Amino acid sequence: MKLIYVVIDGMGDLPISELGNKTPLEAAETPNMDSLAKSGQTGLMYTVRKGIAPESDAAVISLLGYDPFKYSTGRGVIEAVGAGIDVKNGDLALRCNFATLGKGKEIIDRRVARTLSTEEATELSRAANDEVVLESCPAAFEFKNTLGHRAVLVIRNKKCSLSSKITNSDPAYTMVEGLGVATPDVEMVLKKCEPMDHTEAARISAAVVNEFIEKTHKLWENHEVNRKRAAEGKLKANVVLTRDAGHKLPNFFNICERYNVRFAALADMHAESGIARLAGMTSSLLPPPTGNVERDCELRVKKIAELLPRYDCFYIHLKGPDEPGHDGNCRRKTAIISAIDKHFFTGLMKAISRKDSIICVTSDHATPCNLKVHSDTPVALLISGGKIKHDKIKKFSERECANGSLGVINHGYELMPKLMKLLKDSEVS
């Protein structure tokens, strides 16, 4: 018996007038997911808890069975591990964005309009690592771009441990009980990192991050990459936004040992890969999405088929619908969900046996197109396959799943034990 656990990033949404008061999931053509929902059980789920609009790291930690309020130590650490950086307790790790800074600290675009190539980001990262020297404390650093506008920063103080008790310079996210939470309708200005307690470690950490931001801004403002971008009418990638600092590794229990299974993870992004690795899974970071959904989905199905004989459980994280949610493009989001159903799930259902598999499909959070940020909206959930009894719903959507037999799951970390019990019960029966 296999567990196939598919999480589609940012798929959740709210009804949109342009779509006839439907959500993108409800408006999408999803015959494969609909079939799974019709033959299985459905419900809604708050992936962290009601009132929390989670970032993907906290949501994924929760969906893998860990209470993020107990286990999360900051997205920065997760991203750094996923990017292959050696992180030790006492190092300060931060998730970063390349962004465009205008006059008066105004942030013109938090993601450089998604036009920064990985090659351009690599050039800017190389310049920072080669030319910036931190002087506010005796510290070394490693700055690494990951995909497009995304990057990570790890700072190591040569004399003492650093502290994650600092605020974000990225205004779009704030810290709530140690978790990064999206903040809608904020003024888009570069924030100064501030210590969140009165310790010397927090003061030093805030100062050294501010120094890095200031020095890289001066370096990048007239860097060859940005001069060329400006000449082409593109936004400059002239500042780094930092958020979700962490200074210690999470103490996850080993998920394979806890449930006596062989668990593999396939992820598009470094954060999800890092979490899976720290949880004790075999983690494969897949090639980044190319924009060709058909080809990307076929590659992922092929990888699952290759690994299927060697593992019992699979966590598959698909990035797809999140970006058009952030961009407010409901038509594009709907089209991507339809394409994932057609090109990923058609192939997946051919590769696996429904009667010998438990299949779970959900999302890590909602990214409503009308808000353009994550929200605490509950997401649709289906569990199908094996001998699971069905709800007889007509379509996999938020509206239909609200009537499912699973009801409302109030904490995402409740789902993994439920899936493992279903898996074990199916093997016994």
Side-chain angles (χ1 to χ4, degrees):
M1 202 71 171
K2 306 287 185 180
L3 170 65
I4 311 294
Y5 186 7
V6 182
V7 173
I8 305 175
D9 203 311
M11 181 170 65
D13 215 301
L14 295 165
I16 300 169
S17 58
E18 187 179 338
L19 299 178
N21 205 37
K22 295 179 179 179
T23 68
L25 176 58
E26 193 173 17
E29 294 292 330
T30 54
N32 289 298
M33 288 188 278
D34 295 345
S35 175
L36 288 169
K38 288 174 185 176
S39 63
Q41 299 177 352
T42 62
L44 294 176
M45 176 172 58
Y46 291 96
T47 57
V48 172
R49 73 181 187 203
K50 189 174 183 179
I52 295 292
E55 289 196 63
S56 288
D57 64 307
V60 171
I61 287 169
S62 186
L63 291 176
L64 293 180
Y66 307 94
D67 181 348
F69 291 101
K70 294 179 180 177
Y71 287 95
S72 177
T73 58
R75 181 166 184 166
V77 172
I78 297 297
E79 292 268 1
V81 170
I85 297 176
D86 182 27
V87 182
K88 295 182 173 61
N89 290 335
D91 296 344
L92 184 67
L94 305 102
R95 162 65 197 268
C96 302
N97 275 18
F98 287 94
T100 305
L101 188 67
K103 295 180 180 179
K105 302 295 184 182
E106 177 192 4
I107 298 171
I108 296 171
D109 196 290
R110 289 185 58 255
R111 306 179 184 91
V112 202
R114 298 194 193 280
T115 61
L116 186 68
S117 70
T118 298
E119 292 74 21
E120 289 173 319
T122 299
E123 283 296 311
L124 295 171
S125 298
R126 184 179 297 117
N129 287 306
D130 289 347
E131 300 182 41
V132 170
V133 177
L134 298 176
E135 299 172 295
S136 58
C137 72
F141 72 89
E142 185 172 353
F143 182 75
K144 186 174 183 178
N145 60 296
T146 53
L147 179 64
H149 61 271
R150 303 168 184 87
V152 291
L153 171 64
V154 176
I155 302 175
R156 304 177 179 94
N157 191 319
K158 298 173 183 177
K159 292 186 176 180
C160 62
S161 295
L162 294 170
S163 171
S164 59
K165 297 293 184 180
I166 58 174
T167 59
N168 296 336
S169 67
D170 186 341
Y173 293 89
T174 54
M175 302 301 292
V176 177
E177 297 180 52
L179 300 186
V181 175
T183 308
D185 302 322
V186 294
E187 185 182 11
M188 277 295 134
V189 295
L190 179 65
K191 301 258 188 181
K192 189 174 182 179
C193 280
E194 302 284 355
M196 296 173 68
D197 62 27
H198 298 295
T199 63
E200 183 68 2
R203 186 195 67 77
I204 291 172
S205 298
V208 75
V209 171
N210 288 327
E211 181 186 2
F212 181 83
I213 294 169
E214 181 181 348
K215 287 185 172 179
T216 49
H217 173 56
K218 289 180 180 178
L219 174 66
W220 292 339
E221 175 64 30
N222 294 303
H223 189 279
E224 181 182 351
V225 165
N226 281 321
R227 289 202 306 270
K228 183 179 178 183
R229 288 181 62 85
E232 295 172 350
K234 297 177 181 177
L235 293 176
K236 291 182 178 182
N238 62 356
V239 75
V240 62
L241 304 180
T242 61
R243 71 180 197 256
D244 302 343
H247 70 268
K248 61 181 179 179
L249 295 164
N251 187 28
F252 294 146
F253 57 78
N254 185 297
I255 196 168
C256 297
E257 294 175 359
R258 170 68 62 96
Y259 297 111
N260 192 28
V261 294
R262 297 166 298 171
F263 221 128
L266 286 77
D268 290 350
M269 306 299 286
H270 294 84
E272 289 76 33
S273 180
I275 292 166
R277 193 176 305 162
L278 289 165
M281 300 182 188
T282 298
S283 177
S284 298
L285 182 63
L286 297 166
T290 63
N292 184 328
V293 179
E294 180 176 0
R295 186 170 63 188
D296 292 341
C297 287
E298 288 175 352
L299 172 66
R300 282 142 180 78
V301 171
K302 182 179 179 182
K303 187 69 173 178
I304 294 167
E306 288 174 1
L307 296 174
L308 201 61
R310 292 160 44 195
Y311 294 93
D312 309 303
C313 303
F314 294 84
Y315 176 80
I316 303 116
H317 194 103
L318 304 176
K319 183 66 177 171
D322 187 52
E323 287 192 358
H326 282 293
D327 294 339
N329 190 338
C330 64
R331 298 287 182 185
R332 177 64 179 156
K333 183 170 181 177
T334 301
I336 288 178
I337 294 170
S338 297
I340 287 172
D341 186 88
K342 180 179 180 179
H343 299 300
F344 177 78
F345 280 99
T346 297
L348 178 68
M349 301 319 296
K350 291 177 180 177
I352 66 173
S353 163
R354 280 175 76 153
K355 68 181 181 65
D356 294 324
S357 304
I358 301 295
I359 304 117
C360 177
V361 183
T362 190
S363 182
D364 55 347
H365 54 75
T367 309
C369 293
N370 289 338
L371 299 178
K372 298 184 181 180
V373 295
H374 299 183
S375 74
D376 73 331
T377 308
V379 299
L381 166 69
L382 73 83
I383 306 173
S384 190
K387 296 183 179 179
I388 293 173
K389 296 179 181 179
H390 57 80
D391 289 344
K392 297 181 180 178
I393 73 164
K394 297 178 179 179
K395 181 169 175 58
F396 183 51
S397 70
E398 296 89 347
R399 197 186 310 263
E400 287 278 329
C401 288
N403 300 313
S405 62
L406 295 174
V408 178
I409 295 177
N410 290 310
H411 302 92
Y413 61 79
E414 298 169 357
L415 178 59
M416 182 58 78
K418 183 185 295 287
L419 294 175
M420 288 299 173
K421 185 176 187 306
L422 286 169
L423 186 68
K424 297 302 181 186
D425 290 349
S426 297
E427 289 173 347
V428 170
S429 62

